[in-house]
Amino acid sequence: MERHLSPAAWVIVIALVLLAGVAGAEEGAAQHGEEAESLHHLSVILGATDNEEATGFTLGLDYEYEWSERVGFGAVLENAFGDVDALVFLAVADLHLWRGLTLQTGPGVEFIHGGHESGEREAVFRLGLVYEFEFGQFFVAPQAHYDFTPGVDSLVVGVGIAF
């Protein structure tokens, strides 16, 4: 009998690996007397995914490597639960427009788990806005994204939380 990790378990495993990597990089910089501000940013996303068929709780991770002051590159992994029941993986570009306002865009793939399309994959393209509020070492980032697919488009709204 084959055993597979659930999408939620994958999100948790990947989060722990990325958090360990980011923490290790920051600790290494601090030990060498370098500036402790990291170019790596990881946030946990809590929100909802809504499409014309269903709405579901969404849990995800957003990783960004800050390439310059205005541009970052990264990945987003989100799982929409409930009747939506889909996992989305995206390669994204973050364009820092003004203060905490960021335009996030990029292609990806959606793995559909539930409904009549169960087991299918489809291409997805994301376009969205994120606004980061900074509270010392703590960040809160409300966000709204629109995911375009050949099937059913989705609106993803939520909040990212980072330390």
Side-chain angles (χ1 to χ4, degrees):
M1 177 177 183
E2 281 189 51
R3 295 182 57 127
H4 298 282
L5 287 176
S6 71
W10 276 112
V11 169
I12 292 168
V13 167
I14 292 170
L16 292 174
V17 169
L18 289 174
L19 281 172
V22 170
E26 289 177 356
E27 182 180 327
Q31 287 177 352
H32 290 89
E34 299 170 7
E35 190 174 311
E37 187 173 323
S38 177
L39 299 177
H40 303 274
H41 305 276
L42 180 68
S43 59
V44 174
I45 302 164
L46 303 171
T49 298
D50 183 60
N51 59 40
E52 60 191 50
E53 296 176 353
T55 301
F57 169 73
T58 301
L59 176 64
L61 294 172
D62 183 331
Y63 168 78
E64 177 191 10
Y65 174 75
E66 195 174 310
W67 187 60
S68 73
E69 186 177 316
R70 294 276 180 217
V71 178
F73 297 102
V76 175
L77 178 66
E78 293 176 345
N79 194 82
F81 297 90
D83 293 334
V84 177
D85 203 14
L87 178 73
V88 175
F89 181 73
L90 301 148
V92 295
D94 292 335
L95 306 174
H96 300 276
L97 303 173
W98 176 74
R99 298 190 184 190
L101 183 63
T102 301
L103 174 71
Q104 186 177 71
T105 186
V109 64
E110 179 177 35
F111 300 92
I112 302 166
H113 303 297
H116 64 281
E117 298 176 356
S118 184
E120 289 191 21
R121 287 180 284 191
E122 60 185 11
V124 62
F125 185 81
R126 172 166 285 186
L127 182 60
L129 289 173
V130 178
Y131 193 88
E132 258 187 12
F133 293 97
E134 184 178 346
F135 302 99
Q137 294 288 325
F138 183 68
F139 293 88
V140 176
Q143 49 197 277
H145 306 280
Y146 196 82
D147 290 349
F148 299 90
T149 67
V152 178
D153 294 347
S154 298
L155 176 64
V156 182
V157 295
V159 62
I161 301 168
F163 298 95

